[in-house]
PDB file of all heavy atoms in Angstrom:
ATOM      1  N   THR A 192      89.370 167.698  81.667  1.00  0.00           N
ATOM      2  CA  THR A 192      90.705 167.073  81.773  1.00  0.00           C
ATOM      3  C   THR A 192      91.721 168.125  82.218  1.00  0.00           C
ATOM      4  O   THR A 192      92.568 168.523  81.436  1.00  0.00           O
ATOM      5  CB  THR A 192      91.141 166.489  80.416  1.00  0.00           C
ATOM      6  OG1 THR A 192      90.909 167.484  79.401  1.00  0.00           O
ATOM      7  CG2 THR A 192      90.370 165.254  80.048  1.00  0.00           C
ATOM      8  N   GLY A 193      91.643 168.573  83.436  1.00  0.00           N
ATOM      9  CA  GLY A 193      92.459 169.717  83.881  1.00  0.00           C
ATOM     10  C   GLY A 193      93.902 169.388  84.195  1.00  0.00           C
ATOM     11  O   GLY A 193      94.294 168.227  84.284  1.00  0.00           O
ATOM     12  N   TYR A 194      94.678 170.447  84.410  1.00  0.00           N
ATOM     13  CA  TYR A 194      96.126 170.330  84.650  1.00  0.00           C
ATOM     14  C   TYR A 194      96.507 171.168  85.865  1.00  0.00           C
ATOM     15  O   TYR A 194      97.595 171.695  85.953  1.00  0.00           O
ATOM     16  CB  TYR A 194      96.850 170.826  83.385  1.00  0.00           C
ATOM     17  CG  TYR A 194      98.337 170.551  83.303  1.00  0.00           C
ATOM     18  CD1 TYR A 194      98.848 169.261  83.423  1.00  0.00           C
ATOM     19  CD2 TYR A 194      99.230 171.581  83.058  1.00  0.00           C
ATOM     20  CE1 TYR A 194     100.208 169.011  83.316  1.00  0.00           C
ATOM     21  CE2 TYR A 194     100.599 171.350  82.939  1.00  0.00           C
ATOM     22  CZ  TYR A 194     101.080 170.056  83.074  1.00  0.00           C
ATOM     23  OH  TYR A 194     102.426 169.821  82.955  1.00  0.00           O
ATOM     24  N   THR A 195      95.550 171.303  86.802  1.00  0.00           N
ATOM     25  CA  THR A 195      95.784 172.175  87.964  1.00  0.00           C
ATOM     26  C   THR A 195      95.597 171.447  89.290  1.00  0.00           C
ATOM     27  O   THR A 195      95.933 171.988  90.336  1.00  0.00           O
ATOM     28  CB  THR A 195      94.803 173.365  87.958  1.00  0.00           C
ATOM     29  OG1 THR A 195      93.455 172.862  88.048  1.00  0.00           O
ATOM     30  CG2 THR A 195      94.952 174.207  86.705  1.00  0.00           C
ATOM     31  N   GLY A 196      95.049 170.225  89.243  1.00  0.00           N
ATOM     32  CA  GLY A 196      94.707 169.530  90.480  1.00  0.00           C
ATOM     33  C   GLY A 196      93.324 169.882  90.987  1.00  0.00           C
ATOM     34  O   GLY A 196      92.894 169.361  92.007  1.00  0.00           O
ATOM     35  N   GLU A 197      92.632 170.776  90.276  1.00  0.00           N
ATOM     36  CA  GLU A 197      91.264 171.149  90.656  1.00  0.00           C
ATOM     37  C   GLU A 197      90.274 170.626  89.618  1.00  0.00           C
ATOM     38  O   GLU A 197      90.654 170.264  88.510  1.00  0.00           O
ATOM     39  CB  GLU A 197      91.131 172.679  90.748  1.00  0.00           C
ATOM     40  CG  GLU A 197      92.001 173.327  91.804  1.00  0.00           C
ATOM     41  CD  GLU A 197      91.710 172.860  93.222  1.00  0.00           C
ATOM     42  OE1 GLU A 197      90.576 172.397  93.492  1.00  0.00           O
ATOM     43  OE2 GLU A 197      92.615 172.942  94.066  1.00  0.00           O
ATOM     44  N   ASP A 198      88.994 170.640  89.983  1.00  0.00           N
ATOM     45  CA  ASP A 198      87.955 170.364  89.003  1.00  0.00           C
ATOM     46  C   ASP A 198      87.944 171.521  88.006  1.00  0.00           C
ATOM     47  O   ASP A 198      88.325 172.647  88.347  1.00  0.00           O
ATOM     48  CB  ASP A 198      86.601 170.257  89.704  1.00  0.00           C
ATOM     49  CG  ASP A 198      85.517 169.688  88.800  1.00  0.00           C
ATOM     50  OD1 ASP A 198      85.849 169.177  87.707  1.00  0.00           O
ATOM     51  OD2 ASP A 198      84.337 169.748  89.183  1.00  0.00           O
ATOM     52  N   GLY A 199      87.508 171.240  86.800  1.00  0.00           N
ATOM     53  CA  GLY A 199      87.467 172.315  85.808  1.00  0.00           C
ATOM     54  C   GLY A 199      87.168 171.787  84.432  1.00  0.00           C
ATOM     55  O   GLY A 199      87.019 170.577  84.217  1.00  0.00           O
ATOM     56  N   PHE A 200      87.091 172.704  83.490  1.00  0.00           N
ATOM     57  CA  PHE A 200      86.660 172.373  82.142  1.00  0.00           C
ATOM     58  C   PHE A 200      87.539 173.077  81.113  1.00  0.00           C
ATOM     59  O   PHE A 200      88.033 174.178  81.362  1.00  0.00           O
ATOM     60  CB  PHE A 200      85.207 172.803  81.931  1.00  0.00           C
ATOM     61  CG  PHE A 200      84.263 172.193  82.937  1.00  0.00           C
ATOM     62  CD1 PHE A 200      84.042 172.815  84.163  1.00  0.00           C
ATOM     63  CD2 PHE A 200      83.629 170.997  82.675  1.00  0.00           C
ATOM     64  CE1 PHE A 200      83.197 172.247  85.106  1.00  0.00           C
ATOM     65  CE2 PHE A 200      82.775 170.415  83.611  1.00  0.00           C
ATOM     66  CZ  PHE A 200      82.559 171.046  84.820  1.00  0.00           C
ATOM     67  N   GLU A 201      87.688 172.422  79.957  1.00  0.00           N
ATOM     68  CA  GLU A 201      88.381 173.010  78.823  1.00  0.00           C
ATOM     69  C   GLU A 201      87.363 173.158  77.692  1.00  0.00           C
ATOM     70  O   GLU A 201      86.602 172.213  77.424  1.00  0.00           O
ATOM     71  CB  GLU A 201      89.544 172.136  78.349  1.00  0.00           C
ATOM     72  CG  GLU A 201      90.642 171.976  79.391  1.00  0.00           C
ATOM     73  CD  GLU A 201      90.237 171.072  80.523  1.00  0.00           C
ATOM     74  OE1 GLU A 201      89.688 169.991  80.291  1.00  0.00           O
ATOM     75  OE2 GLU A 201      90.433 171.483  81.696  1.00  0.00           O
ATOM     76  N   LEU A 202      87.365 174.307  77.070  1.00  0.00           N
ATOM     77  CA  LEU A 202      86.380 174.606  76.029  1.00  0.00           C
ATOM     78  C   LEU A 202      87.110 174.852  74.707  1.00  0.00           C
ATOM     79  O   LEU A 202      87.827 175.844  74.554  1.00  0.00           O
ATOM     80  CB  LEU A 202      85.560 175.840  76.432  1.00  0.00           C
ATOM     81  CG  LEU A 202      84.911 175.748  77.819  1.00  0.00           C
ATOM     82  CD1 LEU A 202      84.346 177.100  78.243  1.00  0.00           C
ATOM     83  CD2 LEU A 202      83.823 174.684  77.852  1.00  0.00           C
ATOM     84  N   PHE A 203      86.941 173.912  73.775  1.00  0.00           N
ATOM     85  CA  PHE A 203      87.533 174.034  72.436  1.00  0.00           C
ATOM     86  C   PHE A 203      86.509 174.726  71.544  1.00  0.00           C
ATOM     87  O   PHE A 203      85.402 174.191  71.345  1.00  0.00           O
ATOM     88  CB  PHE A 203      87.857 172.653  71.867  1.00  0.00           C
ATOM     89  CG  PHE A 203      88.924 171.898  72.605  1.00  0.00           C
ATOM     90  CD1 PHE A 203      88.610 171.114  73.711  1.00  0.00           C
ATOM     91  CD2 PHE A 203      90.251 171.944  72.198  1.00  0.00           C
ATOM     92  CE1 PHE A 203      89.591 170.388  74.392  1.00  0.00           C
ATOM     93  CE2 PHE A 203      91.243 171.231  72.867  1.00  0.00           C
ATOM     94  CZ  PHE A 203      90.905 170.461  73.967  1.00  0.00           C
ATOM     95  N   VAL A 204      86.860 175.894  71.031  1.00  0.00           N
ATOM     96  CA  VAL A 204      85.923 176.675  70.208  1.00  0.00           C
ATOM     97  C   VAL A 204      86.652 177.224  68.984  1.00  0.00           C
ATOM     98  O   VAL A 204      87.886 177.215  68.923  1.00  0.00           O
ATOM     99  CB  VAL A 204      85.306 177.849  71.017  1.00  0.00           C
ATOM    100  CG1 VAL A 204      84.519 177.326  72.211  1.00  0.00           C
ATOM    101  CG2 VAL A 204      86.380 178.851  71.464  1.00  0.00           C
ATOM    102  N   LYS A 205      85.878 177.725  68.037  1.00  0.00           N
ATOM    103  CA  LYS A 205      86.493 178.388  66.893  1.00  0.00           C
ATOM    104  C   LYS A 205      87.153 179.683  67.375  1.00  0.00           C
ATOM    105  O   LYS A 205      86.594 180.376  68.240  1.00  0.00           O
ATOM    106  CB  LYS A 205      85.439 178.699  65.833  1.00  0.00           C
ATOM    107  CG  LYS A 205      84.945 177.476  65.089  1.00  0.00           C
ATOM    108  CD  LYS A 205      83.953 177.863  64.016  1.00  0.00           C
ATOM    109  CE  LYS A 205      83.536 176.632  63.214  1.00  0.00           C
ATOM    110  NZ  LYS A 205      82.480 176.954  62.224  1.00  0.00           N
ATOM    111  N   PRO A 206      88.324 180.031  66.808  1.00  0.00           N
ATOM    112  CA  PRO A 206      89.021 181.247  67.256  1.00  0.00           C
ATOM    113  C   PRO A 206      88.146 182.502  67.216  1.00  0.00           C
ATOM    114  O   PRO A 206      88.262 183.360  68.100  1.00  0.00           O
ATOM    115  CB  PRO A 206      90.201 181.352  66.287  1.00  0.00           C
ATOM    116  CG  PRO A 206      90.461 179.942  65.876  1.00  0.00           C
ATOM    117  CD  PRO A 206      89.121 179.280  65.810  1.00  0.00           C
ATOM    118  N   GLU A 207      87.256 182.588  66.236  1.00  0.00           N
ATOM    119  CA  GLU A 207      86.438 183.808  66.133  1.00  0.00           C
ATOM    120  C   GLU A 207      85.413 183.943  67.267  1.00  0.00           C
ATOM    121  O   GLU A 207      84.832 185.006  67.463  1.00  0.00           O
ATOM    122  CB  GLU A 207      85.738 183.876  64.771  1.00  0.00           C
ATOM    123  CG  GLU A 207      84.830 182.714  64.438  1.00  0.00           C
ATOM    124  CD  GLU A 207      85.520 181.646  63.596  1.00  0.00           C
ATOM    125  OE1 GLU A 207      86.749 181.436  63.769  1.00  0.00           O
ATOM    126  OE2 GLU A 207      84.818 181.014  62.770  1.00  0.00           O
ATOM    127  N   HIS A 208      85.217 182.859  68.037  1.00  0.00           N
ATOM    128  CA  HIS A 208      84.286 182.915  69.172  1.00  0.00           C
ATOM    129  C   HIS A 208      84.991 183.095  70.519  1.00  0.00           C
ATOM    130  O   HIS A 208      84.333 183.188  71.556  1.00  0.00           O
ATOM    131  CB  HIS A 208      83.457 181.626  69.237  1.00  0.00           C
ATOM    132  CG  HIS A 208      82.522 181.451  68.079  1.00  0.00           C
ATOM    133  ND1 HIS A 208      82.191 180.213  67.558  1.00  0.00           N
ATOM    134  CD2 HIS A 208      81.857 182.366  67.331  1.00  0.00           C
ATOM    135  CE1 HIS A 208      81.354 180.367  66.548  1.00  0.00           C
ATOM    136  NE2 HIS A 208      81.150 181.665  66.382  1.00  0.00           N
ATOM    137  N   ALA A 209      86.321 183.128  70.506  1.00  0.00           N
ATOM    138  CA  ALA A 209      87.076 183.094  71.760  1.00  0.00           C
ATOM    139  C   ALA A 209      86.827 184.312  72.651  1.00  0.00           C
ATOM    140  O   ALA A 209      86.614 184.174  73.861  1.00  0.00           O
ATOM    141  CB  ALA A 209      88.575 182.965  71.465  1.00  0.00           C
ATOM    142  N   VAL A 210      86.862 185.497  72.072  1.00  0.00           N
ATOM    143  CA  VAL A 210      86.700 186.722  72.882  1.00  0.00           C
ATOM    144  C   VAL A 210      85.311 186.757  73.518  1.00  0.00           C
ATOM    145  O   VAL A 210      85.161 187.032  74.713  1.00  0.00           O
ATOM    146  CB  VAL A 210      86.947 187.987  72.024  1.00  0.00           C
ATOM    147  CG1 VAL A 210      86.561 189.248  72.800  1.00  0.00           C
ATOM    148  CG2 VAL A 210      88.420 188.055  71.608  1.00  0.00           C
ATOM    149  N   GLU A 211      84.307 186.459  72.715  1.00  0.00           N
ATOM    150  CA  GLU A 211      82.920 186.445  73.200  1.00  0.00           C
ATOM    151  C   GLU A 211      82.761 185.460  74.370  1.00  0.00           C
ATOM    152  O   GLU A 211      82.124 185.759  75.383  1.00  0.00           O
ATOM    153  CB  GLU A 211      82.039 186.028  72.008  1.00  0.00           C
ATOM    154  CG  GLU A 211      80.591 185.808  72.262  1.00  0.00           C
ATOM    155  CD  GLU A 211      79.901 185.199  71.039  1.00  0.00           C
ATOM    156  OE1 GLU A 211      80.492 185.160  69.922  1.00  0.00           O
ATOM    157  OE2 GLU A 211      78.761 184.753  71.211  1.00  0.00           O
ATOM    158  N   LEU A 212      83.370 184.270  74.243  1.00  0.00           N
ATOM    159  CA  LEU A 212      83.252 183.253  75.292  1.00  0.00           C
ATOM    160  C   LEU A 212      84.011 183.678  76.547  1.00  0.00           C
ATOM    161  O   LEU A 212      83.504 183.534  77.672  1.00  0.00           O
ATOM    162  CB  LEU A 212      83.782 181.912  74.776  1.00  0.00           C
ATOM    163  CG  LEU A 212      83.724 180.751  75.777  1.00  0.00           C
ATOM    164  CD1 LEU A 212      82.301 180.513  76.265  1.00  0.00           C
ATOM    165  CD2 LEU A 212      84.288 179.478  75.152  1.00  0.00           C
TER     166      LEU A 212
END
Side-chain angles (χ1 to χ4, degrees):
T192 48
Y194 191 55
T195 62
E197 297 299 336
D198 192 11
F200 303 87
E201 297 73 46
L202 307 169
F203 294 86
V204 299
K205 288 183 176 175
E207 58 264 33
H208 294 147
V210 171
E211 174 189 348
L212 180 58

